[in-house]
Amino acid sequence: MAVAAATADVVEELTRVYRELPPRPAVEEVEAAAAVLASADAEEEARLADVAREEAARLREAEGVPGELLAVLREARRAAVRLRALQQRKEAAHVVELERRFKVLDGLIQRASRVVSPSGEGSRSGGGGVEMAEVVEEMDARRSDVAAAAAVGEIERGNRGVGFGLDTKAVSSLLRNGSTGSDMVDQKLSLIQVASLIESSAKRGTTELNLRGKLVDQIEWLPVSLGKLQDVTELDISENRIMALPSTVGSLRYLTKLDIHSNQLINLPDTFGELSSLIDLDLHANQLKSLPASFGNLTSLANLDLSSNQFKILPDCIGKLMNLRRLIAETNELEELPYTIGSCISLVELRLDFNQLKALPEGIGKLEKLEILTLHYNRIKGLPTTIGSLTRLRELDVSFNEVEGIPESICFATSLVKLNVSRNFADLRALPRSIGNLEMLEELDISSNQIRMLPDSFEFLAKLRVFHADETPLEVPPREVIKLGALAVVQYVADMVASRGASQKKTDGTSFWAWFRSLFGCCKKDEELGLVPA
């Protein structure tokens, strides 16, 4: 009897110890932690390889710099990479270690259960056996996938958060299926929370995931488990500080919309070209200098924003994007466009403002569907003659350039509604003589140029409603007329042309009769002199 009581006391103590343990990580959390550790290892190796490449380049260029100093810099940079990787591993390593310790305790509890109830029937072995069986059942429930699924269900019902204190409202909006995300709370997610969220999203078959501005500032990359989001069609990870995407991003074959704007991306993985369903891609406000060769495989792409990066050239493979309708490449360092841009035959809008372009390729004339072309603030000296082939062009802006002349062929672009050639300063001295062919033109800006006279065909711009000529030394029409507005300018030119025509007609008539009289007079004089018969 005493032995049974002592056994029961030991079992009770074991039960109390187990039940006083902190919550065990959910299955998704453990998987997420493993993914984070794998990603951290891969990221550390990649960063160390980058350091090695940069140091090799520095050695070739840094003549006269003491070798010892360069060695110190190299080691300092390597140590910094390892330190950041250690920081990224910290939380994930804690979860993995917790799970390892729990597994040790699982084994001990199982051993105790076999001792107390060798036959597996706790009800026949006294109270200790019953309590031990309950602990074993609780242990199994804590680590089962059923328990993890129940936890996700509780998240959706709002009863509790998803591991590590993830707010329920945040979860409902992050793991949304067509919701606007308007209920998202202001909460920053750690790397382990992001990885856990990815695991949960993958299991739930989430189609939309919104992480805009939701990651803590220390997160510079996403875990490799991102590739598990096989069902996601829309992914927003914008407004964070991400420097690299995992190569597994290429596994998101159903992704149609990807927003990564306002991060710190330096490059894209080669697997990026495997996103064959991608339609909308926003990469603006990063630190990209190039695109992978596989980028040309994104043949479904319709909208691409590359603005506010560090591109000096765009790759030739851009020409393979035959379904591309909108290309925004403003605020880069572009010095030229590839000729293959002409192969983007679906292009409707092309914005290239604030670059270093000196010219456009002749291939631009192949973009027969182009409606908007903006080249504000570049170094362009002239437009290609093929500009006249853009018969659907509605808006053209070449302001703040070095344009010396506008080709007459532009007058074949008869759909033009807005034309801005302002602020080419001392370079632009005349408008095309046939500008009147642009009968759809409603807005024209020629400010800050050296144009002194409008061409006669200006009289045919009957739809012109806005005309700016500030700081342009126009003599015809005079400044007083320009102040009266666009229609007054058109009318003045029309009246001037009509008046000149009437005057010319009168002059021509007078000249004819003078010629006739002089001819008759000469003949009469010759007759009197006997040079011709009477």
Side-chain angles (χ1 to χ4, degrees), residues 282-453:
D282 190 346
L283 292 168
H284 86 263
N286 278 282
Q287 299 177 25
L288 295 169
K289 295 182 179 180
S290 62
L291 296 173
S294 63
F295 200 84
N297 296 334
L298 304 179
T299 53
S300 297
L301 204 59
N303 300 298
L304 174 59
D305 192 342
L306 299 174
S307 58
S308 299
N309 278 283
Q310 299 175 19
F311 291 103
K312 289 188 176 181
I313 59 171
L314 295 179
D316 290 341
C317 67
I318 203 86
K320 295 181 179 180
L321 308 181
M322 300 184 68
N323 288 307
L324 192 63
R325 292 177 53 82
R326 184 171 179 264
L327 174 58
I328 313 298
E330 304 169 337
T331 319
N332 278 282
E333 301 171 17
L334 290 176
E335 298 176 354
E336 60 181 69
L337 285 183
Y339 184 84
T340 55
I341 191 72
S343 298
C344 299
I345 55 176
S346 299
L347 211 56
V348 173
E349 181 177 353
L350 178 57
R351 296 190 181 273
L352 300 164
D353 306 320
F354 297 99
N355 279 289
Q356 299 293 322
L357 294 171
K358 296 180 180 179
L360 293 179
E362 292 287 329
I364 204 81
K366 297 179 180 180
L367 304 178
E368 297 181 357
K369 295 183 180 180
L370 195 64
E371 297 181 6
I372 298 174
L373 175 59
T374 63
L375 300 157
H376 176 79
Y377 230 112
N378 277 276
R379 301 174 62 186
I380 293 174
K381 293 186 178 296
L383 296 172
T385 56
T386 54
I387 197 80
S389 301
L390 306 180
T391 55
R392 297 189 186 182
L393 193 64
R394 294 174 52 82
E395 179 179 343
L396 175 61
D397 185 347
V398 287
S399 59
F400 278 101
N401 277 279
E402 302 171 10
V403 175
E404 298 174 347
I406 302 172
E408 286 290 331
S409 60
I410 197 174
C411 301
F412 292 109
T414 53
S415 294
L416 263 178
V417 175
K418 296 181 180 180
L419 176 59
N420 189 347
V421 294
S422 66
R423 292 169 179 80
N424 283 282
F425 304 106
D427 300 298
L428 187 59
R429 297 181 177 275
L431 291 175
R433 289 175 298 174
S434 304
I435 195 171
N437 288 356
L438 304 178
E439 296 180 351
M440 303 298 293
L441 200 62
E442 296 179 6
E443 298 182 23
L444 175 60
D445 192 344
I446 63 170
S447 302
S448 299
N449 289 301
Q450 293 300 313
I451 300 171
R452 296 184 179 276
M453 183 177 294

Side-chain angles (χ1 to χ4, degrees), residues 88 91 187-194 213-220 240-242:
Q88 298 286 3
E91 198 171 3
Q187 179 185 352
K188 296 286 189 177
L189 307 182
S190 67
L191 188 57
I192 188 69
Q193 287 175 325
V194 172
K214 298 298 294 180
L215 311 184
V216 296
D217 291 344
Q218 290 78 13
I219 296 182
E220 297 179 349
N240 291 296
R241 298 177 64 85
I242 297 170

Side-chain angles (χ1 to χ4, degrees), residues 176-177 198 200-209 226-235 251-256:
R176 72 191 195 281
N177 232 329
I198 289 172
S200 298
S201 300
K203 290 184 177 180
R204 295 176 70 252
T206 301
T207 58
E208 298 179 28
L209 184 58
L226 184 73
K228 293 183 178 181
L229 299 176
Q230 299 288 334
D231 297 313
V232 167
T233 58
E234 296 187 17
L235 176 60
S251 300
L252 309 185
R253 303 297 172 82
Y254 295 108
L255 194 64
T256 60

Side-chain angles (χ1 to χ4, degrees), residues 518-531:
S518 66
L519 179 63
F520 179 78
C522 289
C523 291
K524 185 175 182 181
K525 185 175 181 181
D526 289 344
E527 182 183 339
E528 291 174 350
L529 294 174
L531 298 177

Side-chain angles (χ1 to χ4, degrees), residues 159-187:
N159 293 334
R160 57 178 289 189
V162 61
F164 298 95
L166 187 58
D167 187 272
T168 57
K169 290 184 178 180
V171 171
S172 64
S173 56
L174 293 170
L175 300 178
R176 72 191 195 281
N177 232 329
S179 72
T180 61
S182 58
D183 57 342
M184 187 180 297
V185 295
D186 295 329
Q187 179 185 352

Side-chain angles (χ1 to χ4, degrees), residues 70-82:
L70 291 176
V72 170
L73 175 60
R74 180 181 65 251
E75 291 306 316
R77 294 187 63 189
R78 290 170 63 88
V81 168
R82 292 192 178 99

